[in-house]
Structure formats: structure tokens, C-alpha cells
């Protein structure tokens, strides 16, 4: 027994060493993919735009140095009234923010049951105005059509699908890699998303290119700048949905459908791209409007561990409302954060988000991100933004405006001051529990240092060091010392 002990220990050490080397190689590979050799940052407009019959898709060039550093791609998707963004999935985890409008979002988790379903009882209830006689005639027609197996067939013909969620302005939506999603605008205004694709995430096992796989339509390339500058007829676009690559007869046999239906799946006579206009009535099974009814139905559902953890996981949270603020100052504005502590699915995606709403001339405390890159999108207003690197150089120093995007790499210090028209943004972070360290305010690094450290570091006396530490009593949102409270009334709360 003693003879085999050294051999067993050697094997354990070998396995441990192999595992450590594998982790180190993977870490080095990710660092090489996202090398941040940046000389300059800038606020950017979208580089590519695709027009569809019911909306548009814009994207930023993910090959640019700053987006390559963050390892992300970004899109702005606009769905017009009664538009349907066709079902698709992506090779990366995504985090989407609803900038404007309202609508529905469907997400299909593999292996989960269709928890939204019609029933004979609800179907008859909706047709109550036809009277009992009409319902009996309808039931008779069903029996005649389906024969002896009429009840079973009737049940199979009823609509059943996975949960459809109502979405609105201010919602953050977590979208895992490979999970199919679709969205529909049933409002009276455009539905606008800003979406981050984390192409450097471990869940992307392909290359460092964002890819979206469509289940319908004939989609255009969403990230190709050259194609985006031309009309569809001039592109010579050969992109199709994933069904188009299969042999028609083999596809028909696999789905137990006729060949004509298989051709429709492949979009052989369908020139519509990603966002289409809904024809006729667009309805599906929806949850009850009353919260009381919803609680009653939830009490009737059978649940198990897998469904509780995966199928019913929380995938959206609204951080756009003032009531959701984590930091609030009546003189400066508010900040709301969303991380894996408040929405556990983000731990799986390794992403988080932050929204900010600053009054005119208010200041976001200079700070740096300890463990994440940050991607800012300006929703409204404008701000003076400066980003400083490890050499003390300002890599970004400009005024950013509505619709622009800018990157703040990890550990780079950033200072933002709202202009006279205020400043609202959404920021995506490449870590599920991203943390910041501030350079000013009550929780800043300067306040945590002893007076004499500051005095010797900056060649000042002790009184100056005290003033440096305690001149700001706020945490992260500051009112400008050069602005009055009356100025912020120019821009009201959203």
C-alpha cells in the first residue's frame, strides 16, 4: 500500500498541473484575442445599416481597435409598428436594452415545456357571443373532421408555445448563446433595442466574429459594411436561413411535411429580410392581465427543480424607471445597476448593465472599472467625456451625443459631465458583478488614504489633504459647483 502512495500522489499532481496549464493557456488565448493596444478612443456612429420592410438593423464595425479590445459587437435594432423580427439565435451571449417603445419578446429554451397553451374551455369562452348552439355546431364539425380520434386531434391543433414576455422601455434582457428569440412591435411607436454581443465570451466556441442564424426569411449580412451601403437588389446577397441549406426532400421527410411546405421553410420564394410586416391579425396565447389570476394559475402549475432553475429563470429587469435607482441625488441625477446578484442568469452570461440619468451639468465621479470593459450608448442628451490610460494620457476627450457609442477599457479612468441638455446612457459591462473604484466622493480611494499619504504624494499640507478628502460628501453623482439648481429643471425626469 505504501509503495503505491507516491505513484498516486504523482498522478494527482500531474492531473492538477495539466488542469492549471490548460486554464493558463485558455486565459492567454483570450488575452491575445482581446489585446488592448490602443492609442486613441472615440465616440462612434453605426457603420452599417440594413433597411427592411418593417424596420432597420444598424451595427458598429466590430473590427475597430476599441471594440476588439472589449471583445464585443453592438447593434441597434428598430422595429416599426406591427413589425416582426424573425426567429434567430446568435453564437454569443447578448444583453439587450429597450431604448424606446414596447412589444413582445419570445425566447425558446431547449427542452422546456410549452407553458402557454390554449384549451377547449378558453376557446369556447372567447366565442360565448356565438351562443351554445354555435359552439355545439363547431364541436360537431371538429368531430366530423377528425373522426374517432377527434378529441386527440383537436387538442393537438390548439396553439401551445413557450412563454412570451411583454417588454417596454427601460428593460434589460439577457439572451444566452444559441437560444432562439423573436420580437414583435404591437405598440404605436417604433420599438428600439441596443444589443451587445459578447464575442469574446467562453460560450462562443467559433471565431471572434458575431454571427446570427435565422430560422426564416432571407437575411442580409448584419455586420458587413460594404453590403450595408447598397440596396438589397445590388448586393447579390446569397444569405439564407438555416433551413435553406438542407435538401428539400430530406427536410420534408425529417419534419413529416410535404415538399411545398419545406420550400416555404427554406424561403425559396421569399425575398423578405430579417424584419417583416405582419399580415392580418397577430395573436397568440397571452397570460391573464390580472395579477390575481396569474397567481392562481401559477399555483396550479406543476414545477420541478429543472424547470425552476432553467425554464422559468428571470431574463429581464427594468432599470429605466426612477424608482429602480440604486444611487439618487436630487441635484445630480440617478444610476441603476443590474448584475448577477439581482438577476442570476447574468452569472451564466458573465455580463451586467448600468443605466444613468444626469441633470444638466451634473458629474459622474471619475472612476475606473476593476474587472470589466464598459460599452456606453448615449440614449439622450450629451456629455463631455474623458478616458485616461495608464500613461496618464487622455485617449478620449470629446463631447458625446445621442446615438453614439464609446468604450471604456478595464482600469482606464473615466470622467463624465452632462451638458446643458442633460445626459442619459445605458452601459454594458463584460463581467456579471462588475465593480468600480471612484476617485472623488464619500467612497473614493482618496478618502480612504491617510492625510499624510496624500500630503506627501501631492506635495501639499495637511489642511489641503483634508479638503481634498472631504470636499465631496456625495458618493458617485455630483452637482457641478458652477451650476445652479434652477438649471437642472430644463430637463425633466423621464
Amino acid at each position: 500500500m505504501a509503495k503505491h502512495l507516491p505513484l498516486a500522489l504523482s498522478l494527482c499532481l500531474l492531473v492538477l498541473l495539466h488542469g492549471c496549464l490548460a486554464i493558463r493557456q485558455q486565459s492567454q488565448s483570450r488575452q491575445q484575442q482581446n489585446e488592448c493596444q490602443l492609442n486613441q478612443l472615440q465616440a462612434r456612429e453605426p457603420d452599417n445599416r440594413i433597411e427592411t420592410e418593417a424596420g432597420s438593423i444598424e451595427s458598429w464595425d466590430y473590427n475597430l481597435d476599441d471594440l476588439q479590445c472589449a471583445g464585443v459587437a453592438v447593434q441597434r435594432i428598430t422595429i416599426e409598428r406591427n413589425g416582426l423580427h424573425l426567429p434567430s439565435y446568435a453564437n454569443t451571449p447578448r444583453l439587450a436594452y429597450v431604448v424606446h417603445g414596447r412589444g413582445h419578446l419570445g425566447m425558446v429554451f431547449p427542452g422546456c415545456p410549452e407553458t402557454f397553451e390554449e384549451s377547449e374551455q378558453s376557446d369556447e369562452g372567447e366565442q360565448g357571443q356565438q351562443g351554445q348552439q354555435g359552439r355545439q355546431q363547431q364541436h360537431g364539425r371538429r368531430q366530423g373532421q377528425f373522426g374517432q380520434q377527434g378529441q386527440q386531434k383537436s387538442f393537438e391543433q390548439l396553439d401551445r408555445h413557450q412563454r412570451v414576455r411583454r417588454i417596454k422601455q427601460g428593460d434589460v434582457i439577457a439572451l444566452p448563446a444559441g437560444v432562439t428569440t423573436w420580437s414583435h412591435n404591437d405598440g404605436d411607436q417604433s420599438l428600439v433595442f441596443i444589443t451587445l454581443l459578447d464575442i469574446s465570451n467562453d460560450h462562443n466556441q467559433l471565431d471572434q466574429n458575431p454571427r446570427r442564424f435565422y430560422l426564416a426569411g432571407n437575411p442580409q449580412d448584419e455586420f458587413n459594411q460594404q453590403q450595408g451601403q447598397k440596396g438589397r437588389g445590388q448586393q447579390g446577397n446569397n444569405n439564407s436561413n438555416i433551413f435553406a441549406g438542407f435538401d428539400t426532400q430530406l427536410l420534408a421527410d425529417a419534419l413529416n411535411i410535404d415538399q411545398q411546405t419545406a420550400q416555404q421553410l427554406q424561403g425559396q420564394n421569399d425575398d423578405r429580410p430579417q424584419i417583416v410586416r405582419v399580415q392580418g391579425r397577430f395573436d397568440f396565447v397571452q397570460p391573464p392581465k390580472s395579477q390575481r389570476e396569474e397567481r392562481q394559475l401559477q399555483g396550479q402549475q406543476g414545477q420541478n427543480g429543472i424547470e425552476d432553475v432553467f425554464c422559468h429563470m428571470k431574463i429581464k429587469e427594468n432599470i429605466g424607471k426612477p424608482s429602480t435607482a440604486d444611487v439618487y441625488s436630487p441635484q445630480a441625477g440617478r444610476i441603476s445597476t443590474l448584475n448577477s446578484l439581482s438577476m442570476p442568469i447574468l452569472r451564466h452570461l458573465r455580463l451586467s448593465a448600468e443605466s444613468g440619468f444626469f441633470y444638466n451639468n451634473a458629474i459622474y465621479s471619475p472612476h475606473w472599472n476593476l474587472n470589466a470593459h464598459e460599452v456606453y450608448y448615449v440614449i439622450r442628451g450629451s456629455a463631455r467625456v474623458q478616458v485616461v490610460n495608464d500613461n496618464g494620457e487622455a485617449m478620449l476627450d470629446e463631447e458625446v451625443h445621442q446615438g453614439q457609442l464609446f468604450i471604456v477599457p478595464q482600469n482606464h479612468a473615466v470622467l463624465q459631465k452632462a451638458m446643458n441638455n442633460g445626459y442619459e446612457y445605458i452601459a454594458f459591462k463584460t463581467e456579471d458583478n462588475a465593480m468600480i473604484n471612484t476617485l472623488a466622493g464619500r467612497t473614493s480611494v482618496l478618502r480612504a488614504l491617510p492625510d499624510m499619504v496624500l500630503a506627501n504624494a501631492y506635495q501639499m499640507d495637511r489642511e489641503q489633504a483634508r479638503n481634498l478628502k472631504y470636499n465631496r460628501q456625495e458618493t458617485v453623482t455630483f452637482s457641478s459647483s458652477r451650476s445652479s439648481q434652477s438649471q437642472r429643471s430644463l430637463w425633466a425626469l423621464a
Side-chain angles (χ1 to χ4, degrees), residues 19-29:
C20 292
L21 289 174
I23 293 173
R24 182 177 180 182
Q25 289 174 355
Q26 183 181 16
S27 176
Q28 290 176 344
S29 175

Side-chain angles (χ1 to χ4, degrees), residues 368 437-450 454 469:
W368 72 88
N437 204 339
T438 56
L439 291 165
R442 195 168 67 244
T443 58
S444 70
V445 60
L446 295 182
R447 188 141 178 179
L449 294 174
L454 295 176
K469 290 177 63 172

Side-chain angles (χ1 to χ4, degrees), residues 180-215:
T180 300
T181 60
W182 59 268
S183 51
H184 173 251
N185 181 1
D186 67 342
D188 53 4
Q189 298 178 330
S190 295
L191 175 60
V192 182
F193 298 90
I194 187 77
T195 303
L196 176 129
L197 297 88
D198 188 10
I199 56 181
S200 64
N201 195 288
D202 290 339
H203 294 176
N204 174 23
Q205 299 295 308
L206 298 176
D207 50 30
Q208 295 297 295
N209 297 306
R211 306 187 188 196
R212 192 187 287 267
F213 300 77
Y214 278 88
L215 276 65

